[in-house]
Amino acid sequence: MTFADELKSAVTPRAALLVLGVLALQLLFITSYVGALHHPKPKDVPFAVVAPGPAADQTKDQLARLPGAPLDPRVVKDEATARDQIMDREIDGALIVDPQGTNDTLLVASGGGKALANALEMIATQAEGAQKRTVKTVDVAAASPQDFNGLSSFYLVVGWCVGGYLCASIMSISAGSRPATPQRAAIRLGAMALLSIAGGLGGAVIVGPILGALPGSIMGLWGLGALLTFAVGAITLALEALTGIIGIGLAVLLIVVAGNPSAGGAFPLPMLPPFWKAIGPALPPGAGTWVARSIAYFKGNATTGPLLVLSAWAVAGTAATLVTAKYRRKSLSDA
């Protein structure tokens, strides 16, 4: 057999298409991660101003006119309101103007992302310096000393996502596996649910009692981990049911290529380019990272929307998996 014959035998059209698909994923991975993270800068960060009388609007207007529009300032009535809004995750920082002196106070929340807190401190220092004023920083929701740069929540979420799509992929491509019948689809979803419960608990215990990386409710993190892992696993099973082995690549595209860099992990959402900032909250890694940080540092506030996002992915994945299996069985019986 000639080399050309060997080549034709070894490299089938299907194999060539799969290799090209991997190449496309590789290039999209590079584009997404570098595009999202290579030049982070704050843009329209929700920010409060507390100042007496006309000084409030004047300070707000000065901050709104900063080059590049890093802040989206609004006036609030007092420091207590600003602190409450930070803890409710409505704003990311606040400037408290001292009416009797020149030393103002900047409120930040490094638990929501230390990179953003540092950026706000730099912006406030420069803006105050231009007005011959100084500023001291107060961290009202400080990241744990064991949580370097506030990244532990993101890494925890990445681990849960990896468990979800790897488990779903293994169940579909393991030796002897066949396209899912309705019964087999239900069994796979049931196995996915059990893994999600175990993985959610394991992750919560590791980052909490074992490593001390994250404070907050262990039960809350356990519930988040179970829901997130199942949502990712269910949507992976659905994509595999719809497209076969290509579904694994589509899951990687959705969760890893698009979801991870837009999750607000390394850099919170206000520091990401518009495209990634827009898609992040709608994808499981972004929704999961937001909830994990809220549980750890913000008393569980502002979690309803992201939890609904995760629940929608879980329900959609489950329904698509079961419906596709039922439809294929009916098609085969009709044939």
Side-chain angles (χ1 to χ4, degrees):
M1 182 179 289
T2 65
F3 177 78
D5 292 333
E6 288 283 2
L7 183 63
K8 290 179 181 179
S9 176
V11 183
T12 64
R14 182 172 183 270
L17 288 174
L18 290 175
V19 169
L20 290 174
V22 170
L23 175 62
L25 277 178
Q26 179 188 54
L27 297 179
L28 286 170
F29 183 98
I30 294 170
T31 301
S32 185
Y33 277 73
V34 177
L37 307 176
H38 77 289
H39 186 47
K41 58 181 179 179
K43 178 73 172 177
D44 294 327
V45 179
F47 191 82
V49 173
V50 177
D57 287 328
Q58 182 181 4
T59 303
K60 183 197 75 169
D61 293 341
Q62 290 171 347
L63 295 176
R65 291 194 299 266
L66 290 175
L71 303 179
D72 177 18
R74 71 285 311 267
V75 174
V76 300
K77 64 179 182 179
D78 53 31
E79 181 175 344
T81 301
R83 286 175 175 267
D84 288 343
Q85 289 189 7
I86 290 174
M87 292 304 298
D88 290 338
R89 308 200 73 179
E90 296 176 16
I91 59 174
D92 292 303
L95 181 66
I96 314 300
V97 177
D98 181 0
Q100 298 178 338
T102 60
N103 187 23
D104 301 331
T105 301
L106 172 69
L107 305 181
V108 298
S110 62
K114 193 165 288 187
L116 181 57
N118 291 341
L120 290 177
E121 185 172 7
M122 182 180 299
I123 292 167
T125 300
Q126 293 175 349
E128 290 282 273
Q131 302 297 318
K132 309 298 183 184
R133 302 180 70 86
T134 60
V135 63
K136 64 177 181 179
T137 301
V138 175
D139 199 338
V140 301
S144 164
Q146 304 300 316
D147 181 12
F148 178 73
N149 275 350
L151 292 175
S152 296
S153 299
F154 174 58
Y155 294 145
L156 175 63
V157 165
V158 169
W160 280 328
C161 289
V162 168
Y165 67 72
L166 281 184
C167 180
S169 300
I170 288 170
M171 285 192 289
S172 295
I173 66 174
S174 60
S177 66
R178 298 185 296 275
T181 62
Q183 293 80 6
R184 192 174 294 118
I187 290 170
R188 289 176 180 174
L189 287 166
M192 192 71 247
L194 292 176
L195 170 92
S196 300
I197 293 170
L201 176 60
V205 170
I206 289 170
V207 300
I210 294 179
L211 296 179
L214 286 180
S217 167
I218 297 300
M219 295 297 291
L221 289 175
W222 181 8
L224 169 64
L227 175 59
L228 175 61
T229 304
F230 183 79
V232 172
I235 202 67
T236 303
L237 287 173
L239 290 171
E240 291 167 345
L242 290 166
T243 64
I245 195 172
I246 295 173
I248 297 174
L250 294 177
V252 171
L253 177 64
L254 181 70
I255 303 301
V256 180
V257 175
N260 286 351
S262 66
F267 300 106
L269 291 176
M271 300 186 74
L272 296 180
F275 173 76
W276 287 269
K277 181 179 179 180
I279 68 171
L283 297 176
T289 299
W290 179 276
V291 174
R293 283 177 170 162
S294 288
I295 292 171
Y297 298 116
F298 297 92
K299 301 179 181 179
N301 295 328
T303 58
T304 300
L307 288 175
L308 288 175
V309 169
L310 294 176
S311 299
W313 283 107
V315 171
T318 300
T321 300
L322 294 174
V323 169
T324 302
K326 183 177 181 180
Y327 175 78
R328 283 189 171 174
R329 181 178 185 179
K330 184 176 184 299
S331 298
L332 290 174
S333 62
D334 291 343

